[in-house]
Amino acid sequence: MVRVRRLIKVRGLVQGVGFRPFIYRLANIHSLSGWVNNNLEGVLIDIEGDCREIGSFLAKISSAPPLAKIEELEIKELPLKGYGDFRIKESLLDSTNFTLISPDIATCPECKEEMNNINNHRYHYPFINCTNCGPRYSIIESLPYDRSVTTMKNFTMCEECRREYEEPGDRRFHAQPNACPECGPELWLTDYRGKKISEENPLKQATKLLKRGKILAIKGLAGFHLACDAGNQDTIKKLRNRKRRPVKPFALMMKDIATVKEFCYLSTEEKEILTGRRKPIVLLKRKSGIPNNQLLAGISVDNNYLAVMLPYTPLHELLFNGLESKQGEKEITVLVMTSANTSGLPLEYTNQGAVTRLERIADYFILHNREIKIPIDDSISRIILGKEQLIRGARGYIPLAIRFNGLKETLACGSHFKNTIALAKGDYIFLSQHLGDLSNLESYQNYKKVIGHLEEIYQLNPQIIAYDFHPGYLSSRFAETRQGKRIKVQHHHAHIVSCMVDNQLNKQVIGLAFDGTGLGIDGNLWGGEFLICSYAKFTRVGQLNYLKMPGGEAAVKEPWRMAVSYLYHSYGEQLLLFNKLIAVDQGEIKKIIRLIKADLNSPQTSSMGRLFDAVAALIGLTNFISYQAQAAIKLESIASRKARGLYSYQIEDNDGYFVVSTIPLIKEIVEDLNSGIPIKVIAGRFHNTIIGFSVAICELIRDNYGIETVTLSGGVFQNEIILKGIYQQLMLKGFEVYLHCRIPCNDGGLSVGQIVIANYQEGV
Ligand code: ZN
Ligand code: ZN
Ligand code: FE
């Protein structure tokens, strides 16, 4: 036997995921001595023993627990020290480096089983968790991750919990949020004013209230939800009124997979994500034509998808247990579970804040005393072309650490809509959770708070500040207040680079950046752009034709204005002959024409999103919208996928600069409308046309510039028909095509692009 000693540094997601207990058990199996601890860089293992045993110990490290993700393993030889046993040492605070934080994890099967076992002392305990599940990021105050720096520090573990926590063989060994009914957080029910209702079993009472059609605000893992019976039309109506949310779809929580299958089509991949440990909201195609869909009539209007998640905390599980039918009562298997906030404000996450601001929305509150440090929404995900694509990154996914070599300490301030921020240091980009639209003071304050929090836990003091070109964004104004080197990044360049980073591409690419708006370098509002991009630079080589956006922002909320603008662009004053096409007063239409002609508050735009708006209004789908991209979503939802043919388009070639003229497209849509072609066919052909000219321009760019790698980015690529259509046709034509996966294609991904562009412009 040859005795040796090794020092092993493990970097990656190795804290708060049961990694140290795993190492402890492994060391014992191989009769090794020494110690393991958490430090700011990750996990450090100092180990002594038989050379061969150490060899097999090292070989087994890679089979770490399911939540761990090892990114780097460094092994050093050291002189023998003569350790007697193997222990887990207290955390050290002696490094200036950092480690990765685990996202919050949905309840694991073992905990679920214990919770339903009447003989277990955690029977029906809504805060049950273990080394493999429970809150993480949402309760962390600083690093390294330890109970004393989480919001669980206020609870002193009882003897039994402490024993589990300290017993290396226990499945709760060093589970920082460990708790039981004796010593842990508790739950209570209040009325709409926050007055406690004495109730032996608040959850049982809550399920009765849900059955009676009440709206409950429920404090969850990382924020509040508003919950109610999804099958109760009156309650849904009440919720829509109180929340001032007339049509935007609500997220649903379904009891189990069997329930999901009742309402939605479900692929194997979708099922995997739904039931996995992250448990995001998954966008699922709703089944049509079955009577059950009537039940969900008010949930998701004008939309082919339902936003579905499964219970992901013990509390959710207990709620559904209580909603089972007893003595012939009706059973509830689907709950609305929508983020609890007042219109446009950030997610509520404190007891006090929720009660103050939601009293007019919720009939009752379920509160608890485990504090949430930082609010995090539910993530939204979907499967497209067989792969997961994140649309909103939040609980379960965030903080997302993206490996990228050689970055300076950087803060990227993100965009205006669907804001996220990102921080960088060394070999990582850290992407924040979805922070929403920065259109009011409350959201802005939350934004600043999250930046401060993340800078603190990662111990960063960024000297490079990257932000959007648009001076009006609050995120840009925030950037102006920061010390350091400030670097402005063009919106669509950032979109494309975010997609490149998502796919680890570092070469010149053709970038199709299709979205609502982003400020261009010529001062116009871009959004239907064909770019040639590298990390440092971009060249615009194609666009949708410019036209006026009458009334600026008003044209976003009122798609009919864009319809008028497109008709004017195509027919001039003659458009008045078609006035019947838009169900708006002739006088109003004339007003818009005057705005366009006088060039009053009517910026030029090449936005693809606005073209969708215009067509949706033109074919009579909607003149006004109440949430972002509503018109486009409706247009996609009615589009016939069997529609053949496409409308004409014209591509002007100005020495390798390609401009799509939409005039023939608009004129042929008008002709189809006049000859009574069904609008679902028109919508289908419209989609085909976008796909057609996009692919045609890619071919022209390939011919002119010799690039055949294409990346697709921007919010318009949430449209499944467009995404799949362009992807498939480009592949058939021999292009290499890349889509988003972990980084959202909408403005939620922008901060990642900003980080990388700023670093490259600074010369990394
Ligand atoms: Zn568990
Ligand atoms: Zn306890
Ligand atoms: Fe955008």
Side-chain angles (χ1 to χ4, degrees), residues 377-389:
D377 279 286
D378 293 312
S379 293
I380 304 178
S381 191
R382 69 167 174 182
I383 290 285
I384 200 123
L385 295 160
K387 267 171 65 178
E388 181 176 14
Q389 199 171 60

Side-chain angles (χ1 to χ4, degrees), residues 491-492 495 515 517 747 750:
H491 190 100
H492 302 93
H495 268 309
D515 67 357
T517 16
D747 285 5
L750 226 57

Side-chain angles (χ1 to χ4, degrees), residues 668-679:
E668 288 177 23
I669 289 178
V670 169
E671 279 162 28
D672 268 4
L673 278 171
N674 285 336
S675 51
I677 304 286
I679 57 168

Side-chain angles (χ1 to χ4, degrees), residues 121-122 157-158 160-161 179-184:
H121 82 294
R122 289 191 180 86
M157 277 185 268
C158 70
E160 174 60 15
C161 285
C180 78
E182 299 291 307
C183 66

